[in-house]
Amino acid sequence: IEEDGLAGRKALLPPKPRRALVMIDPSYERKEEYGAVAGALADALTRFASGVYLLWYPLLAQHESRRLPERLIALGAERWLQVELHLREPAGPGAGRRGSGMHVINPPYTLTAELASCRDTLCEALALPAAATPRLDIRSG
């Protein structure tokens, strides 16, 4: 289907088997996309509260990017997991991406432990010359 995924998801939720993984990977090229993503997830949860939702987001210096993780937690999902991989320290406004995050609503029960068990190996493998030591932050609720 070639369409805006945030707009088209309404017709797909809830799915017939009542089980689904919804992956959301916006471009975040426009500041409005941050609010649109939070709104789309809020709406999706009212349509299909038991779905597993994975949302990727960049770690940038701009205000909208820094605010998004808290906006996602504020959606009030009963179970959530937030994982952020920090590859370099912020160099100031407009300095580009310093890492990536993933917000998971209704994560599989073993995911937090599995991520924690590979944290050191992953950070060691992703270490970049002349950059800060990679850090993997895991928060859940």
Side-chain angles (χ1 to χ4, degrees):
I1 300 172
E2 291 186 37
E3 66 179 354
D4 180 331
L6 292 180
R9 59 134 178 63
K10 287 183 179 183
L12 300 173
L13 296 177
K16 295 248 189 266
R18 304 298 288 177
R19 293 182 60 149
L21 166 66
V22 178
M23 296 173 59
I24 306 169
D25 181 16
S27 66
Y28 296 106
E29 291 177 5
R30 298 180 331 268
K31 291 179 182 183
E32 301 81 34
E33 287 184 277
Y34 292 92
V37 162
L41 264 176
D43 179 71
L45 285 169
T46 63
R47 294 171 182 276
F48 184 46
S50 62
V52 177
Y53 297 89
L54 288 139
L55 171 70
W56 173 84
Y57 58 91
L59 297 177
L60 301 168
Q62 68 187 37
H63 176 73
E64 294 81 11
S65 178
R66 288 193 329 267
R67 189 167 170 250
L68 183 61
E70 294 306 320
R71 288 180 75 177
L72 297 171
I73 291 169
L75 293 175
E78 197 169 308
R79 291 182 25 251
W80 56 269
L81 172 66
Q82 214 162 59
V83 183
E84 292 185 348
L85 179 61
H86 299 262
L87 292 174
R88 53 180 58 88
E89 294 301 317
R97 188 166 35 141
R98 57 186 165 87
S100 293
M102 183 72 79
H103 188 82
V104 186
I105 294 175
N106 299 324
Y109 288 102
T110 60
L111 185 57
T112 303
E114 288 175 19
L115 286 170
S117 73
C118 71
R119 179 190 327 235
D120 293 341
T121 303
L122 179 64
C123 287
E124 185 178 312
L126 293 173
L128 302 171
T133 303
R135 185 177 86 237
L136 185 68
D137 294 338
I138 302 171
R139 299 171 51 196
S140 62

